[in-house]
């Protein structure tokens, strides 16, 4: 079955964690490449401002969504299909970190982090795979260098290993559907992820360009993983 034809200007890119950092930078890059955008996160005001910047409701839809809530994820997809009628690419990117050390962080913060980084990403896949199947679309997930090597005392690293496994599990599960799956694995990137902003780090746009690379390949090319470190990062 060939991919239903969509002009580049019709294609729809849904991004979770779009209110800030890597997600917002990817929205800007994808908007410049002609994609229509769905911007999802909890901070409605920031999403509305970004949606206005990226062309308003015809081109960019802001959707409030806590990714750890299945009902929110379902209404995110319903709103997208009502507004744009299709989804061609999904970037499951929402997530956050926490202090290292198994006695440092609180159990409550761990719970929130696991529910966002792991369960939330899984819910995004579950909510969007039916729409992606009908477009033979593209699924991307933000893992991390920390999802490839364990960091000392890091529950965050454990959540990102789960995301790496989820991407590979989804790739195999979706074999035969035409859906491509890409894990984006950033090294240290200067975003509000960090309370103390890093120096000599990647910029959010460095990761956004990697996302655009993955979604710009011909239909037979499936870029499965992109791991990017700043030159300054050893581990
Ligand atoms: N910065 C780095 O060095 C780095 C490296 C590797 C991987 N990553 C990963 O990259 C992704 C993006 O992070 P970033 O660096 O761009 O940080 P960021 O600027 O803090 O962005 C995080 C985004 O996730 C959203 N988010 C958090 N919890 C959410 C929830 N429950 N529901 C919906 N959205 C939620 C935030 O929006 P709201 O608060 O508005 O909901 C925000 O848009 C994360 O998965 C992170 O783990 C970052």
């Amino acid at each position: 079955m060939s991919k239903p034809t969509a002009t580049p200007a019709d294609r729809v890119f849904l991004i979770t964690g779009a209110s800030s950092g890597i997600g917002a930078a990817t929205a800007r890059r994808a908007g410049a490449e002609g994609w229509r955008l769905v911007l999802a996160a909890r901070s409605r005001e920031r999403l509305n401002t970004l949606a206005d910047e990226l062309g308003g409701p015809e081109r960019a839809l802001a959707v409030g969504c806590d990714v750890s809530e299945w009902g929110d994820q379902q209404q995110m997809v319903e709103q997208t299909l009502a507004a744009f009628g299709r989804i061609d690419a999904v970037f499951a990117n929402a997530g956050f970190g926490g202090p290292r050390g198994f006695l440092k962080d609180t159990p409550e913060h761990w719970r929130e982090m696991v529910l966002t980084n792991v369960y939330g990403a899984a819910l995004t896949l579950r909510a969007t795979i039916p729409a992606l199947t009908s477009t033979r679309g593209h699924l991307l997930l933000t893992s991390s260098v920390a999802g490839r090597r364990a960091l000392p005392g890091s529950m965050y690293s454990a959540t990102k290993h789960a995301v790496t496994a989820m991407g590979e599990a989804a790739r195999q599960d979706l074999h035969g559907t035409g859906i491509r799956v890409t894990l984006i694995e950033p090294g240290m990137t200067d975003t509000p992820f960090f309370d103390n902003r890093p120096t000599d780090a990647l910029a959010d746009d460095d990761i956004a360009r990697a996302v655009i690379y993955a979604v710009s390949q011909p239909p037979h090319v499936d870029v499965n993983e992109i791991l990017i470190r700043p030159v300054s990062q050893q581990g």
Side-chain angles (χ1 to χ4, degrees), residues 11-87:
R11 295 172 310 170
V12 176
F13 204 144
L14 183 153
I15 301 169
T16 71
S19 63
S20 175
I22 291 166
T26 302
R28 290 191 171 95
R29 276 274 164 194
E33 295 283 325
W35 293 78
R36 291 185 291 175
L37 300 162
V38 180
L39 311 171
R42 294 165 304 178
S43 310
R44 289 300 299 265
E45 267 185 39
R46 276 191 286 170
L47 291 178
N48 287 337
T49 304
L50 184 59
D52 286 346
E53 175 196 323
L54 296 177
E58 301 283 303
R59 305 298 311 168
L61 178 70
V63 181
C65 173
D66 179 337
V67 293
S68 66
E69 295 291 340
W70 176 232
D72 284 13
Q73 297 253 11
Q74 288 177 298
Q75 61 85 25
M76 171 182 80
V77 170
E78 281 162 18
Q79 284 187 47
T80 300
L81 295 177
F84 293 150
R86 58 185 295 129
I87 305 176

Side-chain angles (χ1 to χ4, degrees), residues 152-178:
S154 175
M155 266 302 284
Y156 172 72
S157 179
T159 69
K160 289 300 180 178
H161 275 72
V163 174
T164 302
M166 199 185 307
E168 175 59 12
R171 185 189 71 75
Q172 294 185 43
D173 189 37
L174 297 171
H175 180 74
T177 63

Side-chain angles (χ1 to χ4, degrees), residues 132-170:
L132 286 176
T133 301
S134 58
T135 56
R136 298 169 73 80
H138 199 137
L139 177 62
L140 305 100
L141 300 91
T142 307
S143 176
S144 173
V145 167
R148 273 289 171 205
R149 50 175 290 267
L151 304 179
S154 175
M155 266 302 284
Y156 172 72
S157 179
T159 69
K160 289 300 180 178
H161 275 72
V163 174
T164 302
M166 199 185 307
E168 175 59 12

